[in-house]
Amino acid sequence: MSAPGIPQRSLTISEVATAMNVVTSTLRFYEREGLIRPLARRGGRRVYAPTSSPGRR
């Protein structure tokens, strides 16, 4: 069961980084620049929607 407000299928920062073939620090940079935004933090970790990645339409 997922936490309230977090979709059943959310991705960790590691999963997004792997899918985009980048390191996690790149995603943190994108986040600081406002290009992506995590849905929430679960246990102190970022979780993303499957459509969060920059350039994805």
Side-chain angles (χ1 to χ4, degrees), residues 26-50:
T26 299
L27 296 179
R28 290 185 195 100
F29 171 78
Y30 290 164
E31 188 178 327
R32 282 191 307 274
E33 295 297 312
L35 299 173
I36 62 173
R37 203 173 53 149
L39 290 172
R41 290 187 184 248
R42 182 186 308 150
R45 296 177 183 218
R46 294 166 175 87
V47 290
Y48 296 89

Side-chain angles (χ1 to χ4, degrees), residues 3-54:
I6 299 176
Q8 187 73 23
R9 182 63 194 136
S10 56
L11 304 171
T12 66
I13 192 169
S14 295
E15 291 171 322
V16 175
T18 298
M20 294 180 62
N21 199 33
V22 299
V23 294
T24 56
S25 60
T26 299
L27 296 179
R28 290 185 195 100
F29 171 78
Y30 290 164
E31 188 178 327
R32 282 191 307 274
E33 295 297 312
L35 299 173
I36 62 173
R37 203 173 53 149
L39 290 172
R41 290 187 184 248
R42 182 186 308 150
R45 296 177 183 218
R46 294 166 175 87
V47 290
Y48 296 89
T51 57
S52 292
S53 51

